[in-house]
Amino acid sequence: MEPLSTESTGRQHRYVVVGVGAVGGGVAALLHKAGLDVTAVARGEHLARLRAEGLRLSVGHDERLVRLRTVGSVGEVDWHDETVVLLAVKSQQTAAVLADLAAHAPPETPVVCLQNGVSNERAALRHFAHVHAVTVMMPASHLEPGRVVVHSLGAPGLLDVGSYPAGVDVVDEALSADLRAAGFESLPRPDAMAWKHRKLLMNLGNGVDAACQDGAAAERLVALVREEGERVLRAAGVAVVSREDDLARRGELLRPLVRRDEAGSSTWQSLARRTGDVEIDHLNGEVVLLGRLHGVPTPANELVQRAVNRLARDAGGARALDAADLLTVLGEQV
């Protein structure tokens, strides 16, 4: 399939992917392989490996080396009118990256939030008028510099896209088509944020997966944080697609998974790599914030938020806690 040109300009989009970890790296590499113009913005040892050797990309059982155009900052990007930013950093890094983008990118540049959480789009709208949201369903991992693993033997990811706060425009249509050309499952959606809020409820379990050992206690804690999340979003009047619609959309598109020993939530990957920070304030912390604004108690989400942040600060590593101990704090038992 040929990449789709925008109706408004007749020119093919040029994608600048800021943050080329698990999701951003996989998307950048597969868009590049599909013939799209891609510039990757990376940092540190990951940047050095990409420049010296290319990105070692595993997709299912296949492994390939992808040579991306790579820069160390957005200030090095060759900006054009048809440039679209795919923002793929973790949510706790968004504010700093947006400030940097605002200093270098033209103000009319579309910014696409290819991220977990629901706070990034609003933050981007403070700096850029054209903001887009992607619901990210992509089992991928980035545990070492220069390497990204996409674990699905089906589609590499499901990446539905829409304008923020609502609607669909030519950027959404073109990006969705380009993602399909790269092998992803993607549809333009005018209610993208309702889908992202359903994904937020799923992601409330990330902190438990990252911090706690597997078992019945962890499953109970995940159920508690999601129950609180459902109550909070109802109280806040936030539109959320149903669990049934979400399950129907995903179906078996992303299965089966391979290399399961390297798979884990994005929060788990941060703890496993001992990065020193995590996105938990924009997942469970989002529920805590909305709960405080709307008078809904969120003790389980508050506890998970604090526990995961503490592990990240102390470089405690992944799955170092017993969820039963956290349940005891909440007055719960398995």
Side-chain angles (χ1 to χ4, degrees), residues 89-100:
V89 297
K90 298 286 179 64
S91 295
Q92 72 271 18
Q93 300 158 348
T94 293
V97 171
L98 285 173
D100 203 15

Side-chain angles (χ1 to χ4, degrees), residues 15-334:
Y15 293 107
V16 173
V17 183
V18 184
V20 284
V23 171
V27 169
L30 292 174
L31 285 174
H32 171 78
K33 294 288 287 183
L36 277 298
D37 188 312
V38 177
T39 298
V41 182
R43 61 182 181 176
E45 181 60 24
H46 192 45
L47 170 64
R49 292 283 185 90
L50 295 184
R51 282 176 164 169
E53 305 167 8
L55 177 67
R56 189 155 54 101
L57 176 70
S58 297
V59 180
H61 295 302
D62 178 49
E63 186 163 303
R64 64 194 78 174
L65 196 63
V66 182
R67 296 278 184 178
L68 293 166
R69 182 192 303 118
T70 308
V71 297
S73 74
V74 296
E76 299 174 46
V77 172
D78 186 12
W79 295 99
H80 297 267
D81 290 344
E82 64 272 25
T83 299
V84 173
V85 170
L86 303 185
L87 189 59
V89 297
K90 298 286 179 64
S91 295
Q92 72 271 18
Q93 300 158 348
T94 293
V97 171
L98 285 173
D100 203 15
L101 278 170
H104 295 95
E108 65 275 10
T109 302
V111 174
V112 180
C113 296
L114 192 70
Q115 300 165 286
N116 283 334
V118 294
S119 61
N120 299 292
E121 289 81 4
R122 189 170 187 270
L125 204 61
R126 294 179 185 275
H127 299 276
F128 294 92
H130 305 291
V131 176
H132 306 263
V134 176
T135 307
V136 179
M137 300 283 190
M138 186 172 170
S141 56
H142 167 55
L143 298 177
E144 60 182 280
R147 185 168 187 249
V148 167
V149 177
V150 178
H151 298 278
S152 173
L153 285 178
L158 192 163
L159 305 172
D160 289 345
V161 56
S163 297
Y164 180 80
V168 166
D169 66 11
V170 292
V171 172
D172 301 309
E173 297 280 359
L175 173 57
S176 184
D178 287 344
L179 288 168
R180 292 195 298 273
F184 294 96
E185 182 73 23
S186 180
L187 291 174
R189 289 197 178 277
D191 57 347
M193 292 308 296
W195 290 85
K196 289 201 76 163
H197 277 91
R198 173 54 58 185
K199 177 69 189 306
L200 171 67
L201 291 171
M202 293 175 57
N203 286 149
L204 295 180
N206 284 18
V208 181
D209 167 71
C212 299
Q213 301 150 20
D214 292 337
E219 292 173 6
R220 176 58 181 154
L221 188 54
V222 169
L224 288 173
V225 295
R226 288 178 176 163
E227 288 165 10
E228 288 181 0
E230 295 271 11
R231 288 195 295 271
V232 162
L233 293 183
R234 282 196 300 270
V238 174
V240 185
V241 299
S242 70
R243 184 171 181 272
E244 291 72 24
D245 285 347
D246 174 70
L247 289 173
R249 174 67 180 121
R250 284 186 282 128
E252 296 297 312
L253 289 170
L254 305 179
R255 298 182 182 280
L257 301 182
V258 297
R259 304 174 193 259
R260 296 297 294 269
D261 59 320
E262 300 176 73
S265 71
S266 53
T267 310
W268 172 82
Q269 292 177 51
S270 293
L271 288 184
R273 292 168 53 208
R274 290 178 164 81
T275 60
D277 60 12
V278 284
E279 61 189 343
I280 201 74
D281 292 343
H282 299 270
L283 302 178
N284 303 81
E286 183 74 20
V287 170
V288 171
L289 171 63
L290 287 174
R292 289 169 179 167
L293 288 173
H294 295 278
V296 180
T298 58
N301 280 279
E302 290 177 35
L303 183 60
V304 170
Q305 181 186 11
R306 290 197 304 270
V308 175
N309 274 327
R310 189 181 309 115
L311 275 178
R313 287 193 303 269
D314 297 343
R319 296 177 182 149
L321 304 180
D322 187 339
D325 295 334
L326 299 181
L327 288 177
T328 298
V329 174
L330 295 171
E332 290 270 344
Q333 295 181 343
V334 181

